[in-house]
């Protein structure tokens, strides 16, 4: 049976892939330099000279490769560069890059699987530990029960982290996509509004909701996950903003066949240099390290957004944070 290559072996395979790319890339740069010189010569020649152009087929291939690389850079590790039948330098570069992308995707999948396996394996012993602590709490001296209650709260917090990690792993695997149905985001946002309005009212916070009434806010998705996504954004806003500050939710239809969801607050916001990092698992801003939370709320949001082939962007609400999610619209169900 063939053994899976370890991390060191994978790394050496990737460096080998880079070496395979080096020679054709050098030739491409040389060709490009010659082409640029030819263009310069043509531009300085009389106006009757014919402009030099790349063959249309080569130009189309370069454009296709560029689009594929843009998709990979945006996080689509399943995208591959197109490989033709010419077996030229472009094809050799594309094949070598695709080989490295296969190895990178395998490594990333292995890391995701490890975190999911750890969370799954620890769930049972943690549940047993909680049961034991409950028994101890019932049997211990009343003066010592606060200690047992604190231990139970810590176990619950750990369990919540592992539940989030397992859920994120399931979402990233794409399994919930089989449950996608047409969903009216306007109706879904009203459901969330009904759930959170009493919470914000009790907390003395204004809650502004602006839902598009055009009836064209349908998306294909998993209703429970979309509700959890919005709930995580609202919980995040409540947790990281001063008491009494408002939270707003807006839903609108965009002209390009997209549905825009925004959740905004009036808190301290997120520094621009940290906005990509907050979607990482267990990542927390320095000022938030002492507050409640798992550090996985926005990671789950990012996973749900990716599952629905959507985009999420953090920006300044002046003051506060604006989270904008753009989902592809679909026909009403």
């Amino acid at each position: 049976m063939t053994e899976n290559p370890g991390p060191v072996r994978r790394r050496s395979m990737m460096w080998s892939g880079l070496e395979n790319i080096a020679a054709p890339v050098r030739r491409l740069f040389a060709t490009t330099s010659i082409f640029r010189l030819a263009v310069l010569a043509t531009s300085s020649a009389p106006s009757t000279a014919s402009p030099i152009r790349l063959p249309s087929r080569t130009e189309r291939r370069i454009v296709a490769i560029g689009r594929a690389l843009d998709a990979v850079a945006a996080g689509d590790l399943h995208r591959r560069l197109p490989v033709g039948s010419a077996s030229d330098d472009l094809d050799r570069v594309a094949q070598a890059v695709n080989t490295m992308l296969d190895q990178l995707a395998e490594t990333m999948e292995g890391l995701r699987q490890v975190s999911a396996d750890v969370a799954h394996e620890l769930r049972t012993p943690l549940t047993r530990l909680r049961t034991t602590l409950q028994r101890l709490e019932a049997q211990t001296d009343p003066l010592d029960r606060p200690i047992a209650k604190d231990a139970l709260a810590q176990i619950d917090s750990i369990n919540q982290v592992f539940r989030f990690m397992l859920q994120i792993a399931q979402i990233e695997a794409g399994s919930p996509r089989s449950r996608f149905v047409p969903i009216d985001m306007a109706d879904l946002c009203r459901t969330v509004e009904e759930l959170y309005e009493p919470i914000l009212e009790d907390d003395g916070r204004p809650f502004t909701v602006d839902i598009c009434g055009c009836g064209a806010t349908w998306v294909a998705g998993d209703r429970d996950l979309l509700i959890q996504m919005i709930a995580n954004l609202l919980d995040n806003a409540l947790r990281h903003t001063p008491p009494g500050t408002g939270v707003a939710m807006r839903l609108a239809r965009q002209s390009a066949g997209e549905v825009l969801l925004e959740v905004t607050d009036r808190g301290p916001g997120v520094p621009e240099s940290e906005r990509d990092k907050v979607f990482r698992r267990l990542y927390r801003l320095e000022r938030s390290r002492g507050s409640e939370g798992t550090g996985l709320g926005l990671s789950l949001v990012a996973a749900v957004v990716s599952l629905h082939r959507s985009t999420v962007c953090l920006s300044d609400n002046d003051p506060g944070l604006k989270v904008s999610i753009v989902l592809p619209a679909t026909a009403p169900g």
Side-chain angles (χ1 to χ4, degrees):
M1 184 173 64
T2 304
E3 294 184 359
N4 290 328
V8 175
R9 172 62 177 154
R10 285 199 186 97
R11 201 172 295 120
S12 66
M13 289 166 66
M14 290 183 190
W15 282 115
S16 174
L18 283 173
E19 291 169 0
N20 292 336
I21 290 177
V25 164
R26 280 196 296 268
R27 288 196 293 271
L28 281 175
F29 274 123
T31 303
T32 304
S33 300
I34 293 170
F35 175 72
R36 285 175 177 167
L37 288 173
V39 170
L40 288 172
T42 303
S43 63
S44 61
S47 58
T48 55
S50 300
I52 296 177
R53 292 180 177 273
L54 283 172
S56 58
R57 181 174 177 276
T58 301
E59 187 175 351
R60 287 196 300 270
R61 291 170 65 197
I62 291 174
V63 170
I65 288 174
R67 288 174 178 167
L69 289 172
D70 286 342
V72 172
D76 183 4
L77 294 183
H78 298 290
R79 188 73 173 266
R80 294 295 178 267
L81 275 60
V83 179
S85 57
S87 296
D88 56 9
D89 286 341
L90 278 176
D91 283 340
R92 281 186 281 275
V93 169
Q95 287 171 342
V97 171
N98 286 345
T99 299
M100 286 196 300
L101 288 174
D102 288 340
Q103 294 160 2
L104 178 61
E106 183 184 350
T107 301
M108 295 299 293
E109 180 58 32
L111 290 172
R112 280 195 291 265
Q113 190 60 44
V114 165
S115 64
D117 289 345
V118 169
H120 180 76
E121 292 299 323
L122 287 178
R123 186 168 57 177
T124 300
L126 283 171
T127 301
R128 291 173 181 163
L129 179 58
R130 192 184 194 288
T131 303
T132 302
L133 284 171
Q134 284 179 313
R135 290 173 183 167
L136 287 173
E137 182 188 17
Q139 297 171 4
T140 193
D141 186 279
L143 293 175
D144 295 328
R145 283 179 186 170
I147 299 175
K149 285 185 178 180
D150 182 63
L152 281 169
Q154 296 299 325
I155 288 292
D156 288 341
S157 177
I158 295 170
N159 274 325
Q160 187 180 24
V161 169
F162 286 129
R163 280 197 299 271
F164 268 124
M165 291 179 69
L166 283 172
Q167 188 176 16
I168 290 171
Q170 291 167 355
I171 293 170
E172 289 179 338
S175 55
R177 199 171 283 132
S178 61
R179 304 195 300 266
F180 275 18
V181 295
I183 295 170
D184 184 0
M185 286 297 293
D187 178 66
L188 186 142
C189 286
R190 291 188 190 99
T191 299
V192 175
E193 179 185 9
E194 291 174 2
L195 291 171
Y196 273 82
E197 193 170 37
I199 297 173
L200 275 86
E201 186 176 340
D202 290 344
D203 203 29
R205 293 172 177 264
F207 186 29
T208 306
V209 179
D210 180 11
I211 298 175
C212 172
C214 63
T217 54
W218 289 77
V219 302
D222 183 300
R223 181 179 179 84
D224 291 340
L225 288 178
L226 289 171
I227 287 178
Q228 187 171 3
M229 176 186 76
I230 301 173
N232 279 17
L233 292 176
L234 292 173
D235 287 341
N236 193 69
L238 290 172
R239 186 177 296 115
H240 299 294
T241 56
T245 56
V247 177
M249 178 172 65
R250 185 172 82 92
L251 182 73
R253 171 72 183 229
Q254 298 197 140
S255 57
E258 297 169 332
V259 176
L260 172 66
L261 171 71
E262 290 181 344
V263 173
T264 57
D265 62 55
R266 309 295 286 179
V270 175
E272 188 172 356
S273 60
E274 304 273 356
R275 288 175 188 167
D276 288 335
K277 298 176 183 177
V278 294
F279 291 110
R280 298 176 185 173
R281 298 183 193 186
L282 304 175
Y283 186 86
R284 308 187 75 174
L285 295 176
E286 190 62 37
R287 65 168 181 263
S288 304
R289 293 190 182 278
S291 62
E292 294 181 1
T294 62
L296 290 168
L298 288 180
S299 298
L300 191 139
V301 168
V304 174
V305 166
S306 177
L307 179 73
H308 289 80
R309 296 187 171 94
S310 305
T311 60
V312 59
C313 174
L314 305 185
S315 57
D316 191 0
N317 195 41
D318 194 29
L321 180 68
K322 177 189 289 185
V323 183
S324 303
I325 296 174
V326 177
L327 303 107
T330 191

